[in-house]
């Protein structure tokens, strides 16, 4: 969860997922492709299919290890900001994120409000905050380049 406290007015929270090179994690189960149980039926409805149509996706796993430490050899990583697009979800391009991470990138993937199949943190749309995407990207860029 990322909270942009520098936003004018009240702080805005949104989910952010990071993908990065990691060393092998023995004994760690790979992450589920879709974490939210309500996502497959929502996608099915969005596509005009019955709710059960994508039930099999709950069995799909990624190559990612949740909470893995960054690879020791990774050093500084180029940062890439990936936006999942309208009416989608942050897991839609997992295969691309895994490939980018395997090539040494730190991929930052925000899960935007009001632009997903299901809303995690519903909020009323406010046109005055549309520039928040640029502000959040700039803030994430600053976080990613902070020296430990």
């Amino acid at each position: 969860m990322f909270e942009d406290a520098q936003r004018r007015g009240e702080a805005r929270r949104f989910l952010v997922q990071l993908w990065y090179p990691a060393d092998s994690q023995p004994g760690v189960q790979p992450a589920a492709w879709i974490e939210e149980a309500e996502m497959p039926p929502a996608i099915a409805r969005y596509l005009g299919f019955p709710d059960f149509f994508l039930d099999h996706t709950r069995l799909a796993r990624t190559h990612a290890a949740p909470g893995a430490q960054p690879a020791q050899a990774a050093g500084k990583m180029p940062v890439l900001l990936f936006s999942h697009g309208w009416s989608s979800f942050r897991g839609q391009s997992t295969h691309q994120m895994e490939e980018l991470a395997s090539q040494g990138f730190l991929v930052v993937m925000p899960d935007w409000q009001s632009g997903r199949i299901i809303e995690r943190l519903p909020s009323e749309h406010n046109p005055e905050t549309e520039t928040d995407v640029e502000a959040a990207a700039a803030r994430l860029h600053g976080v990613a380049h902070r020296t430990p």
Side-chain angles (χ1 to χ4, degrees):
M1 181 73 65
F2 180 81
E3 184 167 316
D4 183 6
Q6 296 179 359
R7 182 175 177 258
R8 64 186 176 279
E10 67 182 66
R12 183 174 188 178
R13 297 180 318 148
F14 53 97
L15 296 171
V16 175
Q17 187 166 356
L18 301 177
W19 299 86
Y20 48 86
D23 294 324
S24 179
Q25 306 290 311
V28 175
Q29 289 286 355
W33 174 51
I34 299 177
E35 297 171 351
E36 301 101 336
E38 66 270 29
M39 185 65 77
I43 295 170
R45 281 191 299 277
Y46 179 78
L47 296 173
F49 294 109
D51 282 11
F52 68 84
F53 187 73
L54 296 173
D55 281 356
H56 63 283
T57 61
R58 74 185 188 316
L59 304 173
R61 295 281 175 201
T62 69
H63 296 99
Q69 294 296 313
Q72 292 293 327
K76 286 190 173 187
M77 296 175 260
V79 177
L80 188 138
L81 178 64
F82 182 89
S83 183
H84 61 66
W86 192 257
S87 295
S88 193
F89 63 103
R90 79 188 132 87
Q92 76 166 34
S93 299
T94 295
H95 63 289
Q96 289 176 307
M97 302 309 103
E98 289 179 336
E99 177 60 24
L100 288 164
S102 77
Q103 298 296 324
F105 286 89
L106 166 61
V107 183
V108 179
M109 184 188 294
D111 209 3
W112 305 113
Q113 292 176 299
S114 303
R116 317 183 34 177
I117 294 282
I118 59 170
E119 297 300 331
R120 288 276 88 343
L121 302 167
S123 66
E124 189 174 316
H125 176 69
N126 179 351
E128 294 178 17
T129 66
E130 289 180 357
T131 58
D132 284 355
V133 172
E134 290 103 19
R139 177 78 175 116
L140 289 169
H141 182 270
V143 169
H145 285 86
R146 186 180 305 150
T147 305

